[in-house]
Amino acid sequence: MAASRLAAGGPVGVFDSGIGGVSTLAAIRGQLPREHLLYVADTGHLPYGERPQAYIVERALRITEYFLSCGAKAVAIPCNTATAAAIEALRARHPGLPIVGIEPAVKPAARLTRSGIIGVLATSGTLLSDRFHALVRRQAADVQVLLKPCPGWVTLVEEGGWPAHADRLVAEPLEDLHRRGADVLVLGCTHFPFLIEAIRRHIGPDVPVLETGLPFARQLQRLLLTLGLARVAGEGGVSFFTSGDPAAVARRLERLTGRRATVERLPEPYC
Ligand code: DGL
């Protein structure tokens, strides 16, 4: 894809394994209110965090094909697991297409810690990835980084409700990080900001909890501006798609954001 063929009027494709990336939409809309976003919740293939890398690469390529079929001018991946697994393969396949990924807030956490110990909560896929380990080597070489895969948190967010075991599920990794001296926490999965109230119930109001929705949105904005691809007029919006059940995703959207939206099923070859 040649960059010159990308049209500023085209939409921006945004995808996550599910509803998690929605936690970054307010930041994206705040930075880029004129853009039209196509948001794909790949719930037919959730959770990415437990999938092999090749599986996620295949999904990322497929979803990007869908975005390109809609005339997308850029792709944004507000999913730490998908970024870690697939952004290099996507860039190699589409060298002219602007692609922005997200990464856990390891750098600001390493600057902020006083104990010299930070805790990163993310999926196993992210925490085991080469990309994440390179980030830690680059940005946090002189602090101790404790890793917490948080099994079940993504499902809690996707399925909603608050089952009897939910408090324990949220508390366990947090208590362990506290016991081991972490004084700054990083939410390295876009689903986790939706659990912030439960997290705060366990850690109190003072521990810094960092996520990267805003820097991610700013990076997308910078890229579109630099390439002359930002829309300069008109009002933007978001259209939602899923590889899973559209009614279920619409219910999750309403539960988590209070907004009602139509969710369409992705056309067959992309599901
Ligand atoms: N929301 C995703 C992330 O930021 C992944 C969740 C999953 O499907 O495991 O890592």
Side-chain angles (χ1 to χ4, degrees), residues 16-17 20 46-50 78-81 123 126 154 188-191:
D16 184 271
S17 61
L46 183 92
Y48 279 2
E50 309 300 319
C79 176
N80 292 268
T81 313
T123 66
T126 297
V154 170
C189 171
T190 46
H191 282 74

PDB file of all heavy atoms in Angstrom, residues 16-17 20 46-50 78-81 123 126 154 188-191, ligand 1:
ATOM      1  N   ASP A  16      -9.448  -4.443  18.846  1.00  0.00           N
ATOM      2  CA  ASP A  16      -9.043  -5.062  20.116  1.00  0.00           C
ATOM      3  C   ASP A  16      -9.657  -6.457  20.101  1.00  0.00           C
ATOM      4  O   ASP A  16     -10.565  -6.737  19.316  1.00  0.00           O
ATOM      5  CB  ASP A  16      -9.615  -4.233  21.282  1.00  0.00           C
ATOM      6  CG  ASP A  16      -9.176  -4.735  22.653  1.00  0.00           C
ATOM      7  OD1 ASP A  16      -9.853  -5.592  23.233  1.00  0.00           O
ATOM      8  OD2 ASP A  16      -8.147  -4.256  23.150  1.00  0.00           O
ATOM      9  N   SER A  17      -9.189  -7.311  20.998  1.00  0.00           N
ATOM     10  CA  SER A  17      -9.787  -8.647  21.082  1.00  0.00           C
ATOM     11  C   SER A  17     -11.259  -8.553  21.486  1.00  0.00           C
ATOM     12  O   SER A  17     -12.032  -9.463  21.234  1.00  0.00           O
ATOM     13  CB  SER A  17      -9.037  -9.488  22.107  1.00  0.00           C
ATOM     14  OG  SER A  17      -9.136  -8.882  23.380  1.00  0.00           O
ATOM     15  N   GLY A  20     -12.168  -4.201  25.376  1.00  0.00           N
ATOM     16  CA  GLY A  20     -11.101  -3.507  26.099  1.00  0.00           C
ATOM     17  C   GLY A  20     -10.687  -2.193  25.473  1.00  0.00           C
ATOM     18  O   GLY A  20     -10.561  -1.169  26.145  1.00  0.00           O
ATOM     19  N   LEU A  46     -11.667 -14.145  21.171  1.00  0.00           N
ATOM     20  CA  LEU A  46     -11.208 -13.733  22.506  1.00  0.00           C
ATOM     21  C   LEU A  46     -10.948 -14.975  23.378  1.00  0.00           C
ATOM     22  O   LEU A  46     -11.667 -15.963  23.201  1.00  0.00           O
ATOM     23  CB  LEU A  46     -12.343 -12.899  23.086  1.00  0.00           C
ATOM     24  CG  LEU A  46     -12.227 -12.235  24.427  1.00  0.00           C
ATOM     25  CD1 LEU A  46     -11.703 -10.834  24.236  1.00  0.00           C
ATOM     26  CD2 LEU A  46     -13.565 -12.187  25.117  1.00  0.00           C
ATOM     27  N   PRO A  47     -10.071 -15.006  24.360  1.00  0.00           N
ATOM     28  CA  PRO A  47      -9.126 -13.930  24.658  1.00  0.00           C
ATOM     29  C   PRO A  47      -7.815 -14.099  23.904  1.00  0.00           C
ATOM     30  O   PRO A  47      -7.279 -15.193  23.814  1.00  0.00           O
ATOM     31  CB  PRO A  47      -8.906 -14.120  26.164  1.00  0.00           C
ATOM     32  CG  PRO A  47      -9.073 -15.590  26.398  1.00  0.00           C
ATOM     33  CD  PRO A  47     -10.061 -16.069  25.356  1.00  0.00           C
ATOM     34  N   TYR A  48      -7.299 -12.992  23.386  1.00  0.00           N
ATOM     35  CA  TYR A  48      -6.019 -13.026  22.675  1.00  0.00           C
ATOM     36  C   TYR A  48      -4.887 -13.456  23.620  1.00  0.00           C
ATOM     37  O   TYR A  48      -3.920 -14.061  23.200  1.00  0.00           O
ATOM     38  CB  TYR A  48      -5.669 -11.633  22.140  1.00  0.00           C
ATOM     39  CG  TYR A  48      -6.331 -11.218  20.853  1.00  0.00           C
ATOM     40  CD1 TYR A  48      -7.249 -12.025  20.189  1.00  0.00           C
ATOM     41  CD2 TYR A  48      -6.018  -9.978  20.292  1.00  0.00           C
ATOM     42  CE1 TYR A  48      -7.837 -11.601  19.001  1.00  0.00           C
ATOM     43  CE2 TYR A  48      -6.593  -9.559  19.109  1.00  0.00           C
ATOM     44  CZ  TYR A  48      -7.501 -10.358  18.457  1.00  0.00           C
ATOM     45  OH  TYR A  48      -8.065  -9.941  17.288  1.00  0.00           O
ATOM     46  N   GLY A  49      -5.032 -13.074  24.882  1.00  0.00           N
ATOM     47  CA  GLY A  49      -3.939 -13.305  25.834  1.00  0.00           C
ATOM     48  C   GLY A  49      -3.578 -14.769  26.009  1.00  0.00           C
ATOM     49  O   GLY A  49      -2.499 -15.090  26.483  1.00  0.00           O
ATOM     50  N   GLU A  50      -4.494 -15.664  25.619  1.00  0.00           N
ATOM     51  CA  GLU A  50      -4.223 -17.102  25.768  1.00  0.00           C
ATOM     52  C   GLU A  50      -3.936 -17.757  24.414  1.00  0.00           C
ATOM     53  O   GLU A  50      -3.804 -18.975  24.328  1.00  0.00           O
ATOM     54  CB  GLU A  50      -5.443 -17.808  26.396  1.00  0.00           C
ATOM     55  CG  GLU A  50      -5.976 -17.165  27.676  1.00  0.00           C
ATOM     56  CD  GLU A  50      -4.936 -17.125  28.774  1.00  0.00           C
ATOM     57  OE1 GLU A  50      -4.196 -18.115  28.934  1.00  0.00           O
ATOM     58  OE2 GLU A  50      -4.838 -16.069  29.455  1.00  0.00           O
ATOM     59  N   PRO A  78      -5.441  -0.551  20.021  1.00  0.00           N
ATOM     60  CA  PRO A  78      -5.434  -0.307  21.460  1.00  0.00           C
ATOM     61  C   PRO A  78      -5.563  -1.621  22.229  1.00  0.00           C
ATOM     62  O   PRO A  78      -6.423  -1.773  23.096  1.00  0.00           O
ATOM     63  CB  PRO A  78      -6.673   0.572  21.659  1.00  0.00           C
ATOM     64  CG  PRO A  78      -7.611   0.081  20.616  1.00  0.00           C
ATOM     65  CD  PRO A  78      -6.775  -0.363  19.449  1.00  0.00           C
ATOM     66  N   CYS A  79      -4.696  -2.554  21.892  1.00  0.00           N
ATOM     67  CA  CYS A  79      -4.714  -3.876  22.534  1.00  0.00           C
ATOM     68  C   CYS A  79      -3.244  -4.232  22.735  1.00  0.00           C
ATOM     69  O   CYS A  79      -2.506  -4.389  21.752  1.00  0.00           O
ATOM     70  CB  CYS A  79      -5.409  -4.886  21.623  1.00  0.00           C
ATOM     71  SG  CYS A  79      -5.381  -6.567  22.282  1.00  0.00           S
ATOM     72  N   ASN A  80      -2.840  -4.314  23.979  1.00  0.00           N
ATOM     73  CA  ASN A  80      -1.423  -4.582  24.266  1.00  0.00           C
ATOM     74  C   ASN A  80      -0.992  -5.936  23.713  1.00  0.00           C
ATOM     75  O   ASN A  80       0.107  -6.085  23.177  1.00  0.00           O
ATOM     76  CB  ASN A  80      -1.199  -4.559  25.780  1.00  0.00           C
ATOM     77  CG  ASN A  80      -1.373  -3.166  26.351  1.00  0.00           C
ATOM     78  OD1 ASN A  80      -0.419  -2.417  26.460  1.00  0.00           O
ATOM     79  ND2 ASN A  80      -2.593  -2.801  26.700  1.00  0.00           N
ATOM     80  N   THR A  81      -1.872  -6.921  23.849  1.00  0.00           N
ATOM     81  CA  THR A  81      -1.528  -8.275  23.421  1.00  0.00           C
ATOM     82  C   THR A  81      -1.369  -8.325  21.894  1.00  0.00           C
ATOM     83  O   THR A  81      -0.413  -8.929  21.380  1.00  0.00           O
ATOM     84  CB  THR A  81      -2.631  -9.270  23.860  1.00  0.00           C
ATOM     85  OG1 THR A  81      -2.954  -9.008  25.222  1.00  0.00           O
ATOM     86  CG2 THR A  81      -2.173 -10.689  23.701  1.00  0.00           C
ATOM     87  N   THR A 123      -1.897  -9.382  30.143  1.00  0.00           N
ATOM     88  CA  THR A 123      -2.175 -10.785  29.800  1.00  0.00           C
ATOM     89  C   THR A 123      -0.857 -11.565  29.728  1.00  0.00           C
ATOM     90  O   THR A 123       0.223 -10.978  29.561  1.00  0.00           O
ATOM     91  CB  THR A 123      -2.866 -10.897  28.422  1.00  0.00           C
ATOM     92  OG1 THR A 123      -1.946 -10.457  27.411  1.00  0.00           O
ATOM     93  CG2 THR A 123      -4.130 -10.050  28.359  1.00  0.00           C
ATOM     94  N   THR A 126       1.070 -10.742  26.546  1.00  0.00           N
ATOM     95  CA  THR A 126       1.897  -9.528  26.591  1.00  0.00           C
ATOM     96  C   THR A 126       3.153  -9.766  27.421  1.00  0.00           C
ATOM     97  O   THR A 126       4.268  -9.442  26.994  1.00  0.00           O
ATOM     98  CB  THR A 126       1.084  -8.362  27.202  1.00  0.00           C
ATOM     99  OG1 THR A 126      -0.019  -8.081  26.344  1.00  0.00           O
ATOM    100  CG2 THR A 126       1.932  -7.107  27.366  1.00  0.00           C
ATOM    101  N   VAL A 154      -9.948 -10.404  32.130  1.00  0.00           N
ATOM    102  CA  VAL A 154     -10.548 -10.047  30.830  1.00  0.00           C
ATOM    103  C   VAL A 154     -11.986 -10.587  30.771  1.00  0.00           C
ATOM    104  O   VAL A 154     -12.918  -9.878  30.371  1.00  0.00           O
ATOM    105  CB  VAL A 154      -9.691 -10.604  29.657  1.00  0.00           C
ATOM    106  CG1 VAL A 154     -10.422 -10.463  28.326  1.00  0.00           C
ATOM    107  CG2 VAL A 154      -8.341  -9.890  29.599  1.00  0.00           C
ATOM    108  N   GLY A 188      -1.470  -2.960  31.943  1.00  0.00           N
ATOM    109  CA  GLY A 188      -0.950  -3.227  30.602  1.00  0.00           C
ATOM    110  C   GLY A 188      -1.912  -4.019  29.751  1.00  0.00           C
ATOM    111  O   GLY A 188      -1.488  -4.758  28.862  1.00  0.00           O
ATOM    112  N   CYS A 189      -3.185  -3.865  30.023  1.00  0.00           N
ATOM    113  CA  CYS A 189      -4.229  -4.519  29.222  1.00  0.00           C
ATOM    114  C   CYS A 189      -5.391  -3.543  29.183  1.00  0.00           C
ATOM    115  O   CYS A 189      -5.802  -3.018  30.230  1.00  0.00           O
ATOM    116  CB  CYS A 189      -4.661  -5.830  29.873  1.00  0.00           C
ATOM    117  SG  CYS A 189      -6.125  -6.574  29.099  1.00  0.00           S
ATOM    118  N   THR A 190      -5.923  -3.291  27.990  1.00  0.00           N
ATOM    119  CA  THR A 190      -6.949  -2.250  27.865  1.00  0.00           C
ATOM    120  C   THR A 190      -8.278  -2.640  28.504  1.00  0.00           C
ATOM    121  O   THR A 190      -9.145  -1.782  28.696  1.00  0.00           O
ATOM    122  CB  THR A 190      -7.181  -1.902  26.383  1.00  0.00           C
ATOM    123  OG1 THR A 190      -7.283  -3.115  25.636  1.00  0.00           O
ATOM    124  CG2 THR A 190      -6.072  -1.048  25.856  1.00  0.00           C
ATOM    125  N   HIS A 191      -8.449  -3.908  28.832  1.00  0.00           N
ATOM    126  CA  HIS A 191      -9.655  -4.291  29.578  1.00  0.00           C
ATOM    127  C   HIS A 191      -9.606  -3.804  31.026  1.00  0.00           C
ATOM    128  O   HIS A 191     -10.641  -3.564  31.643  1.00  0.00           O
ATOM    129  CB  HIS A 191      -9.824  -5.815  29.588  1.00  0.00           C
ATOM    130  CG  HIS A 191     -10.370  -6.375  28.315  1.00  0.00           C
ATOM    131  ND1 HIS A 191      -9.621  -6.485  27.171  1.00  0.00           N
ATOM    132  CD2 HIS A 191     -11.601  -6.865  28.018  1.00  0.00           C
ATOM    133  CE1 HIS A 191     -10.365  -7.024  26.212  1.00  0.00           C
ATOM    134  NE2 HIS A 191     -11.568  -7.259  26.698  1.00  0.00           N
TER     135      HIS A 191
HETATM  136  N1  DGL B   1      -7.341  -6.080  25.647  1.00  0.00           N
HETATM  137  C1  DGL B   1      -6.226  -6.842  25.403  1.00  0.00           C
HETATM  138  C2  DGL B   1      -4.919  -6.209  25.848  1.00  0.00           C
HETATM  139  O1  DGL B   1      -4.828  -5.009  25.959  1.00  0.00           O
HETATM  140  C3  DGL B   1      -6.236  -8.354  25.457  1.00  0.00           C
HETATM  141  C4  DGL B   1      -7.277  -9.102  26.208  1.00  0.00           C
HETATM  142  C5  DGL B   1      -7.394 -10.556  25.765  1.00  0.00           C
HETATM  143  O2  DGL B   1      -8.116 -10.802  24.806  1.00  0.00           O
HETATM  144  O3  DGL B   1      -6.736 -11.429  26.351  1.00  0.00           O
HETATM  145  O4  DGL B   1      -3.948  -6.890  26.053  1.00  0.00           O
END
